[in-house]
Amino acid sequence: MLHKIKISILVVFAAFFVSCEDDFLETTPTDAVTPAIALGTVEDMEKVLNGVHSTLYSQLAGTITGAGNTQAGNQFWIPLGDNLAGELIHSADANNLGWRTAMQWNAHTQETSGVVEILWYHRYNTILHANLLIEKISSGDLPVTPRLRAIEGQAYAYRAYALLSLVQHYAKGYLVGNPATDKGVPIILEPQTTGPRATVEEVYNQIGLDLDASIAAFTNAAPRATGDARDKSQLNINVAHGLKARWALSKGDWQTAASSAVAARQGFPLMDEADWKSGFNTNNLSEVIWGSNVIGAETTFFRAYFYLASNTFNGSQIRNNPKIADRRLIDAIPATDYRGDVFIKDAPNTNTSAANGQGGFANDPNYTDRAVYNARVAAIKSQYGLVSGHNLHPYMHFKLKQKNPGSIDPDDVIIMRSSEMYLIEAEAKAMLSDVPGAQAALGPLGRQRNSAYDVTSFNTQASLMAEIKFQRRVELWGEGFGYTDKIRWDEAIDHEVNGGSGASLTLYQNAFKQAKPSVNDDWIFKIPQAEIDANPNITPADQN
């Protein structure tokens, strides 16, 4: 890792100080700074942070080891979570950006794949920048001000975020393995150093320390600005609490998960129906606690989150392969729950290359009248702003929609919102056998989404957990939580059982069924071969 990171710092910081104007963030790509001058002032340090923000969604080819033109930060990693878990279902064979290869579990299981390389090196690049900031602040060279404390809080939160991402992908799940002895990932706390794989427990302990340090710094920090979508690209104390809630939930620290989730969502009210159906395309939504604000100068075009996951995007991955949801899940949504409206069960199957062999009017079992078929196609395309080349498929979704449908325009990338925090609190309380507490946490979300919702009907731990899992799958569908949820719950993937999900065995191959994580190490990402070759502390024997 050492020589890889040395290379990346020199490149990733290369062209940062091209502007000192007030509109810097609006007009200038911000993913690079020269180390020699980057940390001289608070203003310089804030620019370094803005560069870190940018790498969360930018194309990273030429700046980070392993990065090609395929992945653009979280624009790839967020939908990948549901792509791997079988929640975001492919309806046809389209392998743009290797999206089918990843779906088939043929990328993260290969040590030379770009998927395992770029996630590893991006997260360690984030840690590198956090370490540089922490080291500078700890030196005492700069006066301690609320503004400096905000930088410190973000640096510790970013290090925790990156370590949590790494340990959840490159190690066995905390709750399904033996964290005291299972190999985790290297803990790097100083710039330009490397190390061996720590245990999962050691990594989790460091994440906890970093989150506590982040919250302590934010307690005395200048508040995050408000009023603009770009403000939420900055991390604040709510984000730190939200990360702590995720961390605690993944390790079974239920009380900490519950209390942290409550703290995280303060000031971020649940969305109403109109906002929930508006497309999840802007940080300006009331629930958004943290998200990447994608400016025009940094658009990723056909590398975008919505290119991979939104059925309104005008790209071949979507036009030729509309994404569908598991019909077993969608069929279970009550008619009084407005979230079901964004999944179009009766969409005609217009794709003659559909994997289920039912594409085109002559093969679509749901339509016998061509005029009715054509009228429904026209109505859906008109309602959602699709172009003529967009194909349709039963159970396709319109949860994720562009602000400008039918285009390739950039949209914000939502990373954390308050609904997740209600669900974390509810799950944690249920796991503590606190049925009234879990009901109280789940009720506000359920009633906001479903006019007939009665949380008291779930009056045992078992029934509550089943309902919480259902609510997570519906509420957070397409937002990338499927992979880590299934690991935490130790659940297998089975697209065939109970009538089937709608996925094609021919297309999904080995990913059509996967045994649960506790007995199946294919859930664990391979360590990049490039890391084994470069890091003297990691040998082939350390490979997952």
Side-chain angles (χ1 to χ4, degrees):
M1 184 188 312
L2 180 58
H3 82 265
K4 303 280 185 181
I5 293 298
K6 281 183 176 177
I7 291 170
S8 26
I9 187 173
L10 295 174
V11 179
V12 170
F13 283 170
F16 198 89
F17 283 98
V18 296
S19 172
C20 293
E21 302 298 323
D22 290 341
D23 62 347
F24 185 90
L25 283 178
E26 298 179 37
T27 61
T28 309
T30 54
D31 59 355
V33 183
T34 303
I37 60 175
L39 305 176
T41 67
V42 169
E43 290 79 9
D44 294 343
M45 296 173 79
E46 288 174 338
K47 290 186 173 74
V48 173
L49 265 179
N50 289 335
V52 177
H53 301 329
S54 180
T55 67
L56 291 182
Y57 64 85
S58 300
Q59 290 188 134
L60 302 172
T63 61
I64 290 179
T65 300
N69 288 317
T70 302
Q71 297 90 18
N74 283 348
Q75 306 227 44
F76 189 89
W77 306 121
I78 287 177
L80 182 68
D82 282 344
N83 194 35
L84 289 175
E87 299 288 351
L88 185 76
I89 296 176
H90 295 231
S91 64
D93 187 354
N95 200 32
N96 316 69
L97 307 189
W99 200 226
R100 182 203 64 216
T101 300
M103 169 272 286
Q104 292 173 333
W105 285 45
N106 290 327
H108 77 277
T109 55
Q110 301 298 318
E111 61 269 22
T112 57
S113 78
V115 168
V116 300
E117 282 196 0
I118 182 56
L119 181 61
W120 179 275
Y121 287 114
H122 174 262
R123 296 315 193 219
Y124 275 111
N125 193 271
T126 299
I127 290 169
L128 166 65
H129 295 114
N131 287 341
L132 288 167
L133 292 166
I134 292 167
E135 182 180 67
K136 179 64 176 181
I137 292 168
S138 300
S139 73
D141 293 343
L142 296 172
V144 177
T145 65
R147 194 170 166 189
L148 188 68
R149 286 296 183 223
I151 296 170
E152 182 182 23
Q154 293 197 66
Y156 277 111
Y158 261 128
R159 191 164 74 183
Y161 169 74
L163 276 174
L164 183 60
S165 176
L166 287 161
V167 77
Q168 287 187 304
H169 287 86
Y170 295 95
K172 201 172 189 73
Y174 191 103
L175 294 177
V176 299
N178 185 348
T181 57
D182 287 340
K183 291 182 179 180
V185 296
I187 300 171
I188 309 300
L189 303 181
E190 297 178 357
Q192 307 304 339
T193 61
T194 189
R197 295 183 70 177
T199 67
V200 169
E201 188 73 63
E202 288 168 338
V203 177
Y204 267 83
N205 288 343
Q206 184 60 51
I207 294 167
L209 292 173
D210 283 350
L211 290 170
D212 287 344
S214 174
I215 291 167
F218 278 132
T219 301
N220 299 300
R224 183 173 69 180
T226 60
D228 190 284
R230 66 178 178 176
D231 297 328
K232 291 183 180 179
S233 67
Q234 306 290 325
L235 286 64
N236 71 350
I237 194 167
N238 297 83
V239 176
H241 282 303
L243 291 173
K244 190 170 184 177
R246 290 178 177 178
W247 163 81
L249 186 74
S250 71
K251 70 190 293 285
D253 182 353
W254 310 122
Q255 190 57 59
T256 299
S259 60
S260 297
V262 171
R265 69 174 183 253
Q266 298 308 304
F268 298 89
L270 292 171
M271 296 184 287
D272 61 17
E273 179 176 356
D275 280 349
W276 201 92
K277 292 180 175 180
S278 66
F280 292 84
N281 53 43
T282 175
N283 287 348
N284 285 328
L285 294 168
S286 64
E287 283 193 25
V288 177
I289 300 170
W290 177 28
S292 293
N293 177 228
V294 184
I295 64 177
E298 293 175 333
T299 182
T300 55
F301 299 108
F302 302 109
R303 304 295 182 267
Y305 175 8
F306 280 15
Y307 171 78
L308 297 169
S310 167
N311 285 327
T312 66
F313 198 95
N314 191 6
S316 56
Q317 174 62 237
I318 286 297
R319 291 194 308 266
N320 301 328
N321 178 23
K323 301 306 183 291
I324 64 176
D326 188 325
R327 61 191 179 195
R328 299 166 298 188
L329 173 69
I330 305 310
D331 287 346
I333 300 176
T336 50
D337 188 328
Y338 60 70
R339 293 173 298 189
D341 298 345
V342 304
F343 300 96
I344 314 303
K345 298 181 185 180
D346 69 337
N349 192 334
T350 65
N351 190 0
T352 55
S353 297
N356 66 0
Q358 297 177 354
F361 170 72
N363 300 310
D364 191 333
N366 299 316
Y367 289 87
T368 57
D369 186 313
R370 183 177 290 275
V372 174
Y373 175 93
N374 290 340
R376 186 63 179 132
V377 170
I380 292 172
K381 289 192 172 185
S382 175
Q383 180 177 355
Y384 294 105
L386 307 187
V387 302
S388 59
H390 274 116
N391 278 293
L392 308 183
H393 195 286
Y395 290 89
M396 68 186 301
H397 81 94
F398 290 102
K399 177 189 175 183
L400 306 173
K401 299 183 300 185
Q402 298 159 283
K403 291 188 287 287
N404 185 16
S407 74
I408 60 171
D409 291 352
D411 291 282
D412 292 345
V413 178
I414 296 170
I415 303 172
M416 182 184 292
R417 58 190 183 92
S418 54
S419 283
E420 179 199 352
M421 298 301 136
Y422 280 95
L423 290 162
I424 288 177
E425 183 194 4
E427 182 174 343
K429 291 290 181 69
M431 292 303 294
L432 288 168
S433 298
D434 180 0
V435 170
Q439 290 173 330
L442 186 60
L445 176 63
R447 290 188 293 272
Q448 174 56 247
R449 306 293 185 243
N450 179 355
S451 59
Y453 195 73
D454 179 12
V455 74
T456 63
S457 63
F458 310 104
N459 54 17
T460 66
Q461 183 193 45
S463 64
L464 264 171
M465 275 305 302
E467 174 64 8
I468 290 162
K469 289 180 180 182
F470 171 75
Q471 289 294 331
R472 276 191 72 97
R473 291 185 67 200
V474 174
E475 179 66 27
L476 302 177
W477 186 92
E479 297 178 59
F481 294 94
Y483 172 80
T484 51
D485 281 353
K486 283 189 175 293
I487 292 173
R488 184 174 71 259
W489 298 331
D490 198 23
E491 290 187 349
I493 294 173
D494 190 339
H495 285 286
E496 183 178 32
V497 71
N498 297 328
S501 68
S504 161
L505 172 60
T506 301
L507 178 59
Y508 269 69
Q509 300 179 8
N510 289 336
F512 196 73
K513 291 184 179 182
Q514 283 288 331
K516 62 185 182 179
S518 61
V519 297
N520 179 9
D521 286 346
D522 279 349
W523 286 86
I524 307 171
F525 279 41
K526 293 293 187 183
I527 302 294
Q529 185 61 43
E531 178 66 17
I532 294 174
D533 293 341
N535 187 341
N537 300 287
I538 297 180
T539 72
D542 290 308
Q543 182 60 272
N544 290 325

